[in-house]
Amino acid sequence: MARKALKLASWTSVALAASGVYLYSNNYLDPNDFGAVRMGRAVATTAVISYDYLTSLRSVPYGSEEYLQRRSQVHLRSARRLCELCCANRGTFIKVGQHLGALDYLLPEEYTSTLKVLHSQAPQSSMQEVRQVIREDLGKEVLVLAVKQLFPDFEFMWLVDEAKKNLPLELDFLNEGRNAEKVAHMLKHFDFLKVPQIHWELSTKRVLLMEFVEGGQVNDRDYMEKNQIDVNEISCHLSKMYSEMIFVNGFVHCDPHPGNVLVRKRPDTGKAEIVLLDHGLYQVLTEEFRLDYCHLWQSLIWTDMERVKLYSQRLGAAELYPLFACMLTARSWDSVKRGIGQAPVTATEDSEIRNNAASYLPEINKLLNHVPRQMLLILKTNELLRSIETTLGTRSSASSFLNMSRCCIRALAKHRKRDACSFFRRTQISFSEAFSLWQISLHELLLRVKGLRLACWVSALLGWLTQAPR
């Protein structure tokens, strides 16, 4: 019996080996498909980076000019190694690299500037791989030229259980097409938004054929200046669009890295337009979560600290609610208590947050393990949008907070009217909603007048200085 089992095992091994050789020789098998290869590469890269930090900074006095210079060099070498690792392992590693490249306010500049290349220049699948999928699913060689920009895209997820739940949907291009059409219909009142049209007759679960739309990346200031696109207008459009998704509809595009958000001037009107791509990853918010999140942001904007504590704790922050508020706003706790709309973000505050983040990693990890799973992708979305604002230089503007507040007011009023049991009560809620929105518009007008007055003063001062005798 043992001899038969041994013989069977031998033949099985030979068959598996022969199958492996055949698959590899016919390009069906890629060494990167083996988890052990990818994991080994990641472990080796981590070890090299750690050794570089330990040896390069060991004998240099902490805080000295030489220390800062060497640390910058190590940061740059390590960032390049990480970028090479992401390009070699592809898949989820690319998504992680794209996410890290967007954390301008948290990571050293050497890392973000190096990893940003993954937003628009991630490794592409070969034409042979693309052609194989098209042949199998459509059988039409002519489509090869139409899908040169189509690559397999595995969305980055923060937790294993989230990946297990969402990955099958993300790999289904028909689901991505449905998401694109849903968000296009949901936000059709925004004339500044363009979602490429889906060609359903030429799409399957593995092939998605979309309208081709040209544009520059949303963080490309040179492109915007060349095409006379106002960065403040684009930033305002982004905040309106995402506030509507999160607070009003609860259906949120969760991958707004710069490679997925393009800007252009509309060919017909010449107005600035945002083109939203990659609709594989959406978060559907429960009503309870969405309303609590509305209340929390309203409390943050209007500096109601008791309600900040209440709704942070309702969202799982417990005693870490100050840290939670800081993570949501990317502001210091002092700024949160003073009012995030009252004082602009300064370079000093950004530097303070970046330098102190590492010391709070255990608390951050604890917090992320307790908040609802929906919050993880919302935090990721917030960070990516904030990174775009940082690059555009619009983070100090109050417009995003005002747009968020408007959406919170509308969402909460809609919920209250739905639960109201009388026409009088619904009318009362509508009047309260209109008054609150009017207050925000008045506040926005006052801020603009104040800004114009300051601009006039500066202009007059510069004029006086240029005309003054020397």
Side-chain angles (χ1 to χ4, degrees):
M1 188 71 178
R3 185 177 297 174
K4 288 184 178 180
L6 181 60
K7 188 175 182 181
L8 178 61
S10 300
W11 278 108
T12 302
S13 300
V14 171
L16 288 173
S19 300
V21 171
Y22 175 79
L23 290 171
Y24 185 81
S25 63
N26 285 275
N27 296 320
Y28 292 123
L29 191 64
D30 187 335
N32 282 313
D33 292 337
F34 291 106
V37 173
R38 292 153 59 89
M39 184 59 67
R41 191 182 285 129
V43 170
T45 301
T46 303
V48 171
I49 290 174
S50 301
Y51 181 78
D52 195 1
Y53 274 102
L54 286 173
T55 56
S56 299
L57 303 176
R58 179 184 298 165
S59 58
V60 186
Y62 178 81
S64 65
E65 185 175 344
E66 183 184 0
Y67 177 88
L68 296 177
Q69 185 177 359
R70 283 201 188 183
R71 187 180 65 178
S72 177
Q73 293 170 352
V74 179
H75 282 340
L76 186 58
R77 289 197 297 270
S78 302
R80 287 171 176 167
R81 289 174 181 131
L82 277 180
C83 190
E84 290 170 1
L85 171 66
C86 293
C87 292
N89 279 2
R90 304 199 298 180
T92 305
F93 284 80
I94 293 290
K95 303 306 296 183
V96 174
Q98 290 173 341
H99 181 62
L100 294 176
L103 299 181
D104 298 86
Y105 72 96
L106 185 60
L107 294 179
E109 192 272 339
E110 293 87 350
Y111 279 90
T112 56
S113 62
T114 301
L115 294 172
K116 276 186 192 320
V117 69
L118 298 175
H119 290 153
S120 58
Q121 299 179 35
Q124 302 181 11
S125 295
S126 68
M127 285 306 302
Q128 182 180 356
E129 293 171 314
V130 174
R131 187 179 292 112
Q132 178 68 23
V133 172
I134 292 172
R135 280 175 174 169
E136 291 176 3
D137 278 41
L138 296 177
K140 297 186 178 182
E141 181 72 20
V142 70
L143 288 180
V144 172
L145 296 177
V147 290
K148 284 184 178 179
Q149 305 301 318
L150 180 66
F151 331 113
D153 192 3
F154 295 85
E155 298 291 349
F156 166 61
M157 303 299 297
W158 285 3
L159 294 176
V160 173
D161 56 345
E162 286 293 296
K164 288 179 180 178
K165 181 179 70 177
N166 287 298
L167 196 56
L169 292 175
E170 294 166 35
L171 296 178
D172 182 352
F173 284 166
L174 294 179
N175 178 69
E176 180 172 342
R178 289 190 291 269
N179 285 343
E181 290 195 339
K182 180 175 179 178
V183 79
H185 177 75
M186 189 175 76
L187 302 180
K188 63 183 178 181
H189 55 288
F190 288 149
D191 61 358
F192 58 79
L193 175 62
K194 171 69 176 177
V195 177
Q197 182 183 356
I198 307 298
H199 295 279
W200 288 111
E201 71 278 6
L202 297 173
S203 297
T204 73
K205 281 191 173 185
R206 298 199 297 167
V207 175
L208 185 65
L209 187 63
M210 305 176 69
E211 172 188 7
F212 177 72
V213 183
E214 288 187 284
Q217 286 191 188
V218 70
N219 62 345
D220 189 344
R221 290 182 64 99
D222 292 337
Y223 175 88
M224 293 192 203
E225 290 175 7
K226 181 180 178 181
N227 290 273
Q228 298 180 328
I229 297 174
D230 185 355
V231 295
N232 291 296
E233 183 182 8
I234 292 297
S235 184
C236 184
H237 288 343
L238 269 178
S239 69
K240 283 183 181 178
M241 185 172 74
Y242 271 89
S243 294
E244 189 89 5
M245 286 185 197
I246 294 171
F247 300 112
V248 178
N249 296 289
F251 185 69
V252 189
H253 179 279
C254 286
D255 204 13
H257 69 69
N260 288 341
V261 185
L262 308 182
V263 294
R264 67 169 187 168
K265 281 208 168 181
R266 287 184 57 170
D268 51 349
T269 64
K271 292 183 178 179
E273 186 174 56
I274 292 175
V275 182
L276 193 60
L277 306 175
D278 194 348
H279 300 273
L281 182 58
Y282 272 77
Q283 180 66 276
V284 180
L285 307 180
T286 65
E287 181 154 321
E288 180 183 6
F289 176 93
R290 181 174 61 86
L291 295 174
D292 283 344
Y293 198 56
C294 281
H295 281 296
L296 174 57
W297 266 106
Q298 249 195 334
S299 304
L300 286 166
I301 291 168
W302 299 114
T303 325
D304 187 340
M305 301 313 296
E306 284 300 318
R307 288 167 68 85
V308 167
K309 178 179 179 181
L310 170 65
Y311 286 104
S312 294
Q313 291 179 338
R314 282 175 63 92
L315 289 168
E319 76 282 358
L320 295 174
Y321 72 91
L323 176 61
F324 186 50
C326 293
M327 289 173 62
L328 284 177
T329 61
R331 301 295 301 270
S332 67
W333 181 237
D334 287 339
S335 295
V336 171
K337 289 189 292 184
R338 287 198 307 267
I340 54 177
Q342 301 302 314
V345 184
T346 64
T348 302
E349 184 179 359
D350 267 347
S351 178
E352 177 188 344
I353 293 171
R354 185 182 293 111
N355 293 334
N356 292 337
S359 60
Y360 286 99
L361 283 179
E363 290 81 4
I364 291 173
N365 184 58
K366 179 180 178 182
L367 186 60
L368 293 178
N369 280 322
H370 284 86
V371 296
R373 298 302 95 193
Q374 300 166 86
M375 182 58 72
L376 297 179
L377 285 178
I378 293 296
L379 285 169
K380 175 196 172 186
T381 303
N382 285 349
E383 289 167 359
L384 289 168
L385 291 173
R386 199 173 290 122
S387 170
I388 293 170
E389 290 181 341
T390 299
T391 305
L392 297 181
T394 58
R395 272 196 71 199
S396 60
S397 171
S399 63
S400 61
F401 292 130
L402 295 176
N403 287 326
M404 290 171 72
S405 190
R406 285 190 180 97
C407 286
C408 289
I409 289 169
R410 287 170 45 218
L412 293 172
K414 181 180 179 181
H415 173 71
R416 292 179 185 128
K417 281 187 281 189
R418 191 186 63 190
D419 290 348
C421 54
S422 68
F423 174 77
F424 175 76
R425 178 57 183 154
R426 286 192 292 272
T427 304
Q428 188 181 33
I429 294 170
S430 294
F431 275 116
S432 176
E433 176 188 5
F435 180 71
S436 296
L437 292 173
W438 175 81
Q439 282 183 307
I440 292 175
S441 296
L442 179 61
H443 181 62
E444 187 172 32
L445 177 62
L446 292 174
L447 287 175
R448 287 182 180 176
V449 170
K450 184 179 178 182
L452 287 173
R453 188 181 302 165
L454 178 61
C456 289
W457 288 344
V458 172
S459 178
L461 178 60
L462 290 174
W464 179 80
L465 288 173
T466 55
Q467 295 173 11
R470 298 184 181 179

